[in-house]
Amino acid sequence: MTRATLRLPTPLRAFCGGSDELQLDGGTVGELLGTLVAQHPGLSGRILDDAGALRRFVNVFVDGRNARGEGGLAMAVPQGAVVTIVPAVAGGAS
Amino acid sequence: MSESRRRIDELRAQLGEVAPSAALADRGGVLVDVREPDEVAQGTPIGALRVPKSFIELRIEAAVPDRDRPVYVMCAGGVRSLFATESLRALGYTKAMSVAGGFSRWKSEGLPFEVPQVLDASARQRYGRHLILPEVGEKGQLRLAQSRMVLVGAGGLGSPAALYLAAAGVGRLTIVDDDVVDRSNLQRQVLHTDARVGRPKAESARETLNALNPEVRVEALRERLTAENVERIFAGADVVLDGTDNFQTRYLVNDACVKLGIANVHGAIFRFEGQVSVFHPASARGTAPCYRCLYPEPPPPELAPSCAEAGVLGVLPGVIGCLQATEALKLVLGVGRPLIGRMLHYDALHQRFQELSFDADPECAWCAPGRRVETYQHLAEVCRT
């Protein structure tokens, strides 16, 4: 089992006690997110859909690479990787 | 004989000269017009490098890195070019030669020349710090003057972007915003002023931008971008800057830019975080992603961050909007590496930038090769404050 640093975006921090960064175990993106939602169930529907797939307005980057093009939830997470969750954000003009 | 006359003869004998027709015939050589800008404005050989004599030593290495390449130096009558040739020889340009008779002989022999588009004295003064950048120079500055950019939103992101684009000398700026200035905007929307509260943002933007740079043509459109007007507004634009505040418009901006082949410089902010990227599938179809490749769908209203709770650090759109302006200028100038297939993610609290990379989605509903979508999708409005 590998350990990685997960960076959380502002909109999701409220669902994990305000943390912006967590140390989590998981050899793949799916395992890592599984660990995350097990610890913070409120996040589940915001990252994964009912079928357990990554939501289409959320991206997960492993060491800066988008998991979507690299196997999605099956993408390997190396030991010590930085995993960043980036959701679509609309703000700008207001 | 005067001392200067003696020196000129000496240089002519020492360095030799080349006839204009011989300089033109040498395809491997480079012709450098060293006359002053006001002389060049009257006419100059087609394709000649234009470097005033006073800058020749500073600029020649960037323009002609190969010192063994023949360099044909031209002035008005073949005298100043002798001195410039001497300087080039001293820098190691062994095949530098002065063109006998200069541009007057070139012209009288019927050799090809053009009257170039040049900056006037006022523009030369205003854009002086651009002109001395080899990556911009007069050619780049003229390119900016001929360009047209559309800013969707004259708010947090549009404000800094528009200010810097106007200052940079972008020829035409179209500002699209249907909103009016509210006092609560002024914490970050630096295009507007306290005295303009209640007035349309597009007009307020035009007033500020015209005051900063009267050379820029600002088109203020007090409209909301819709499927019906988007193509009319974007047509002919070189770059669109997306600084809107809702997903509906963001997907519309993306879809129209993809359809029209225009670069979409994207910026988005939330509280202390920002995202910047360039979506431009037309630059490399199948490789360069669009907004839908990254975010195939917007979040449903119940999962979109609450607008009421959102808030934003006033300076954050300043950072992100300036990055958008930088990308827009780079695209028009054709310099550097645009943020295509990359997103710059900014976290102001950690004061950290992170570069994230992503690919075009081969299954993208909008930009995948061979995909042809005719009608714009209507999305439910998720959030608008």
Side-chain angles (χ1 to χ4, degrees), chain B residues 107-183:
Chain B
K107 223 169 138 182
S108 67
E109 288 184 5
L111 301 180
F113 71 96
E114 62 182 346
V115 177
Q117 279 194 296
V118 289
L119 297 167
D120 61 23
S122 150
R124 202 162 281 289
Q125 191 175 19
R126 179 183 288 270
Y127 306 116
R129 298 298 188 281
H130 268 171
L131 300 180
I132 54 177
L133 284 174
E135 292 81 358
V136 183
E138 182 158 7
K139 207 168 145 194
Q141 195 61 51
L142 284 164
R143 200 175 287 173
L144 290 177
Q146 284 150 13
S147 70
R148 174 172 172 245
M149 297 188 187
V150 177
L151 289 113
V152 186
L157 295 169
S159 283
L163 282 166
Y164 276 102
L165 294 174
V170 169
R172 275 180 73 192
L173 287 176
T174 301
I175 314 273
V176 193
D177 201 311
D178 68 339
D179 205 1
V180 294
V181 179
D182 185 87
R183 186 157 282 117

Side-chain angles (χ1 to χ4, degrees), chain B residues 90-370:
Chain B
L91 285 173
Y93 288 87
T94 52
K95 294 179 186 161
M97 292 284 273
S98 172
V99 177
F103 185 62
S104 355
R105 183 169 156 193
W106 180 281
K107 223 169 138 182
S108 67
E109 288 184 5
L111 301 180
F113 71 96
E114 62 182 346
V115 177
Q117 279 194 296
V118 289
L119 297 167
D120 61 23
S122 150
R124 202 162 281 289
Q125 191 175 19
R126 179 183 288 270
Y127 306 116
R129 298 298 188 281
H130 268 171
L131 300 180
I132 54 177
L133 284 174
E135 292 81 358
V136 183
E138 182 158 7
K139 207 168 145 194
Q141 195 61 51
L142 284 164
R143 200 175 287 173
L144 290 177
Q146 284 150 13
S147 70
R148 174 172 172 245
M149 297 188 187
V150 177
L151 289 113
V152 186
L157 295 169
S159 283
L163 282 166
Y164 276 102
L165 294 174
V170 169
R172 275 180 73 192
L173 287 176
T174 301
I175 314 273
V176 193
D177 201 311
D178 68 339
D179 205 1
V180 294
V181 179
D182 185 87
R183 186 157 282 117
S184 68
N185 299 148
L186 302 176
Q187 161 252 23
R188 64 202 175 283
Q189 300 182 16
V190 294
L191 272 174
H192 314 300
T193 65
D194 198 73
R196 295 191 210 140
V197 168
R199 285 185 46 199
K201 284 187 183 177
E203 281 174 26
S204 166
R206 180 172 53 196
E207 212 168 300
T208 301
L209 299 171
N210 280 341
L212 173 63
N213 189 349
E215 303 291 315
V216 176
R217 268 179 61 200
V218 181
E219 192 185 10
L221 302 180
R222 192 184 173 187
E223 294 178 62
R224 183 160 174 76
L225 202 70
T226 64
E228 289 69 41
N229 67 16
V230 67
E231 292 193 15
R232 166 176 60 82
I233 293 171
F234 285 9
D238 297 284
V239 177
V240 171
L241 287 94
D242 181 353
T244 54
D245 57 4
N246 64 88
F247 286 112
Q248 187 184 348
T249 312
R250 288 195 182 278
Y251 281 90
L252 180 61
V253 167
N254 175 74
D255 295 351
C257 282
V258 171
K259 194 171 169 193
L260 301 174
I262 302 170
N264 169 14
V265 181
H266 171 91
I269 49 172
F270 186 78
R271 292 192 179 179
F272 293 91
E273 284 178 69
Q275 307 178 5
V276 193
S277 190
V278 175
F279 301 109
H280 194 14
S283 67
R285 186 66 73 179
T287 308
C290 80
Y291 184 60
R292 285 182 187 273
C293 295
L294 184 63
Y295 299 117
E297 286 171 13
E302 66 275 15
L303 292 184
S306 157
C307 301
E309 290 169 14
V312 65
L313 183 72
V315 72
L316 181 74
V319 174
I320 301 300
C322 284
L323 290 170
Q324 286 181 272
T326 308
E327 287 302 300
L329 293 174
K330 278 166 58 188
L331 286 164
V332 167
L333 292 169
V335 299
R337 187 175 156 234
L339 273 172
I340 293 175
R342 297 185 291 150
M343 175 202 284
L344 206 54
H345 180 267
Y346 175 60
D347 181 335
L349 288 179
H350 285 269
Q351 203 58 281
R352 179 171 62 202
F353 282 99
Q354 190 179 4
E355 185 183 322
L356 305 167
S357 68
F358 53 96
D359 298 326
D361 178 359
E363 303 296 318
C364 177
W366 198 262
C367 80

